[in-house]
Amino acid sequence: MKKKDLLTIAIILGGMGPMISSGTAFADAKAVPIGIEKQAPMNTDQAKKLEQIKLSDSQLKADDSDIDTWMPNKAVQESVLRNLIWDGILPKDSTVNDITKELLESAESSTTWEIAVDTFSGADLTPNLTEGLQYVNDQIKINLSLSDTSEDKFLQMDWKQLHANVDFWRVAVISPDKLQNPQLLQKINDAKLPEKIGIHSIAYDQGQVTEESPNFNPTFTKTIDLKDQDFFPNISVSDSELWDALKDKNLLVTNLTANAVRKGNVVAYNLYDFTKNSDGSYSGTPEDNVSNRILMRNIKANPDNFYLALINYGLYNDGEHQEINVFGHTYANFTN
């Protein structure tokens, strides 16, 4: 896969998986599960604007300054430069060498700075990834989005430093196979992070980032057969079909919702109402209304154009440290 722009990937994934959306998107949805409305603080409009700032290789080369010593992560340097240019603090032809501690300390911005770092774009998720961001004026809010195919590099990070240096953070693990023995939530809990206002989350997404639009291919682990059906059938989702990270005993509450998706865009929120069973499985009943009846006809006519995103949600909150939202995304295809 060729190198993609960092913010392009962040926008594709919504920062934490393609099915994670902003609170606004869920504002009018019926029966929104606890925590779903709190997902992904990323300002995608702002991220798209930052993406329009084209930076040359020479602008990203640190060759006559000491920036590599105090802000060592190249992807963070690039994101900071974009934000400085967007805010008019630096001119468009500036380079990372123009970023100084003094400049960051005096910088002012009316927008949240979006910082995106992920391996899909060729970026390196280093242990001290946020080093240097502590010099940014406290008035500026920083939203950090991190993505990779496994937990490995996230487990090596200094989470106390990361949490101290940004206002919001969200992690996305995107893999065609569900991870065995997930450890990231425990790693973060062990850091005893102080409570901050804002959204902090971990998302596990079963699929692959691709070059072709819509830039994400879900891995289907379930099939919903619509043949001879007048309406969406009841479905059952077993405990084994869900991400193990959502089975953590420290999660206060877990639930499941399902969104219908067409070419990467959600066309129906909360298509199913789920009841959790004693064995950890869920029983889903479709919500019968005119909109969903029309959707059923459209899916039956072109089942390959649609799929169902199953979103498992959990909340960690020990009452003393940072509240963390945990999401697990799995997918079902339709047949007729």
Side-chain angles (χ1 to χ4, degrees):
M1 179 177 181
K2 63 183 181 181
K3 186 178 185 296
K4 275 185 164 290
D5 184 280
L6 296 171
L7 283 165
T8 300
I9 293 294
I11 293 167
I12 290 168
L13 303 178
M16 291 184 61
M19 298 319 306
I20 293 182
S21 181
S22 67
T24 303
F26 286 91
D28 298 323
K30 183 177 180 182
V32 177
I34 296 172
I36 291 292
E37 77 284 354
K38 299 171 64 177
Q39 293 187 63
M42 183 179 191
N43 184 340
T44 53
D45 289 338
Q46 177 65 12
K48 288 177 181 177
K49 291 175 182 176
L50 291 172
E51 187 191 11
Q52 295 171 11
I53 299 174
K54 304 302 180 184
L55 300 175
S56 65
D57 290 341
S58 60
Q59 286 178 279
L60 300 176
K61 185 178 181 181
D63 54 10
D64 58 3
S65 74
D66 64 348
I67 189 171
D68 282 344
T69 64
W70 58 270
M71 184 182 286
N73 188 280
K74 295 294 186 180
V76 171
Q77 291 179 15
E78 178 178 343
S79 288
V80 169
L81 180 59
R82 285 180 184 275
N83 283 283
L84 289 169
I85 292 175
W86 175 260
D87 287 329
I89 298 169
L90 286 178
K92 292 182 179 179
D93 60 352
S94 298
T95 73
V96 293
N97 300 295
D98 297 312
I99 303 172
T100 65
K101 297 177 185 178
E102 294 74 21
L103 178 68
L104 295 180
E105 290 168 350
S106 63
E108 295 183 359
S109 177
S110 60
T111 61
T112 297
W113 280 13
E114 301 291 343
I115 307 291
V117 185
D118 66 84
T119 57
F120 303 103
S121 63
D124 191 10
L125 294 166
T126 52
N128 60 342
L129 185 141
T130 63
E131 179 64 32
L133 293 180
Q134 69 267 32
Y135 300 110
V136 177
N137 186 338
D138 288 341
Q139 173 263 331
I140 297 176
K141 301 299 182 184
I142 300 176
N143 181 25
L144 179 67
S145 300
L146 307 174
S147 305
D148 200 2
T149 57
S150 74
E151 291 185 335
D152 294 349
K153 292 187 177 180
F154 298 130
L155 293 173
Q156 298 172 20
M157 288 183 176
D158 183 339
W159 279 93
K160 285 188 176 180
Q161 179 195 61
L162 185 152
H163 189 68
N165 289 349
V166 302
D167 296 278
F168 319 102
W169 53 258
R170 47 209 206 133
V171 173
V173 176
I174 303 156
S175 171
D177 301 307
K178 291 193 290 289
L179 303 186
Q180 303 297 317
N181 189 31
Q183 302 175 51
L184 184 55
L185 180 60
Q186 187 61 55
K187 166 75 174 182
I188 297 174
N189 290 346
D190 289 344
K192 306 295 183 184
L193 304 180
E195 182 75 21
K196 280 187 174 183
I197 296 174
I199 301 163
H200 305 79
S201 55
I202 306 169
Y204 298 87
D205 212 324
Q206 194 163 7
Q208 292 178 298
V209 175
T210 67
E211 287 292 325
E212 297 75 25
S213 180
N215 304 106
F216 177 76
N217 281 339
T219 298
F220 297 123
T221 57
K222 192 176 192 65
T223 296
I224 300 174
D225 189 359
L226 302 181
K227 187 176 182 180
D228 300 326
Q229 299 283 341
D230 294 326
F231 192 54
F232 297 105
N234 293 345
I235 62 174
S236 177
V237 181
S238 68
D239 182 58
S240 62
E241 294 179 85
L242 303 173
W243 286 84
D244 286 349
L246 275 297
K247 303 169 188 175
D248 192 304
K249 66 181 185 303
N250 293 315
L251 295 177
L252 291 181
V253 61
T254 57
N255 53 38
L256 185 68
T257 188
N259 299 335
V261 183
R262 182 179 183 273
K263 296 182 177 179
N265 298 308
V266 177
V267 293
Y269 291 103
N270 303 314
L271 181 59
Y272 280 84
D273 290 326
F274 286 97
T275 300
K276 190 172 185 178
N277 304 312
S278 59
D279 62 356
S281 66
Y282 289 85
S283 298
T285 304
E287 184 170 345
D288 196 345
N289 56 42
V290 173
S291 296
N292 287 344
R293 289 275 173 182
I294 294 172
L295 177 62
M296 171 69 173
R297 290 199 295 268
N298 290 336
I299 294 179
K300 286 197 73 170
N302 297 284
D304 291 342
N305 288 345
F306 297 84
Y307 58 84
L308 191 71
L310 297 162
I311 305 172
N312 198 192
Y313 166 75
L315 174 68
Y316 172 81
N317 187 338
D318 66 2
E320 297 182 24
H321 303 100
Q322 182 60 54
E323 177 180 296
I324 301 172
N325 298 273
V326 183
F327 300 92
H329 303 102
T330 53
Y331 301 92
N333 63 330
F334 295 103
T335 61
N336 183 18

